[in-house]
Amino acid sequence: MTDHPDPALFEIFAAVTSEWDEALVANDAERIAAYAAEEWTFLGPDGPFPGADFLAATARGEVSHDTMTSEVHKVFDLGDVAVVVSRVQNTGRYRGEPFENDEWTSDVFVKRDDRWQCVLTHLTPARASDSAGREQPPGGG
């Protein structure tokens, strides 16, 4: 973890992401949706993807998670908006095929009706160290 200007807000999002992880591992689309705004969208290498499609695939059993671990690294407090940067590792199945992800995520949350809901999840694959075990330079060097 890094230092945080607002430790209380950091702890709120550490708890939110932990609860969201539990909902994902339970493969419970309704519980997952409780943390997402109606307009929730993923952004990945193929562009934007509606969160509603992910929730529907989860409800149908097309996608399931066996593990999900999120470590919050930074929270940007913008009032009723917060950006949460986390390292996320997860395993599961998509249409019967196993997957394993190690990603950095930026989640944009909005506070509505006194609760935080995610509107955007930006996924970036985490870079592995090089073959000699050395870390890569900042910015991709």
Side-chain angles (χ1 to χ4, degrees):
M1 287 191 249
T2 59
D3 63 70
H4 306 283
D6 185 345
L9 190 63
F10 179 86
E11 290 304 320
I12 287 169
F13 282 106
V16 166
T17 57
S18 177
E19 293 164 8
W20 205 2
D21 287 352
E22 290 172 11
L24 284 155
V25 171
N27 299 301
D28 184 332
E30 284 187 37
R31 281 179 58 198
I32 297 165
Y35 297 91
E38 186 176 330
E39 67 270 29
W40 182 37
T41 302
F42 288 92
L43 182 58
D46 297 323
F49 179 84
D53 291 355
F54 170 79
L55 293 170
T58 299
R60 289 189 303 267
E62 289 179 19
V63 62
S64 63
H65 287 87
D66 299 318
T67 64
M68 176 72 68
T69 305
S70 299
E71 181 182 352
V72 176
H73 282 257
K74 184 88 174 163
V75 176
F76 296 88
D77 181 0
L78 307 170
D80 285 343
V81 175
V83 179
V84 180
V85 177
S86 302
R87 180 76 175 260
V88 178
Q89 296 170 320
N90 61 85
T91 61
R93 293 192 169 279
Y94 177 63
R95 295 183 174 162
E97 295 297 318
F99 65 81
E100 182 175 347
N101 294 314
D102 184 2
E103 304 164 313
W104 285 99
T105 65
S106 300
D107 287 308
V108 179
F109 284 85
V110 295
K111 193 169 193 178
R112 296 180 178 152
D113 298 324
D114 207 33
R115 62 178 238 233
W116 290 101
Q117 293 183 299
C118 189
V119 295
L120 178 70
T121 297
H122 184 193
L123 306 168
T124 303
R127 183 193 310 246
S129 60
D130 70 12
S131 59
R134 297 180 296 244
E135 291 187 30
Q136 297 294 314

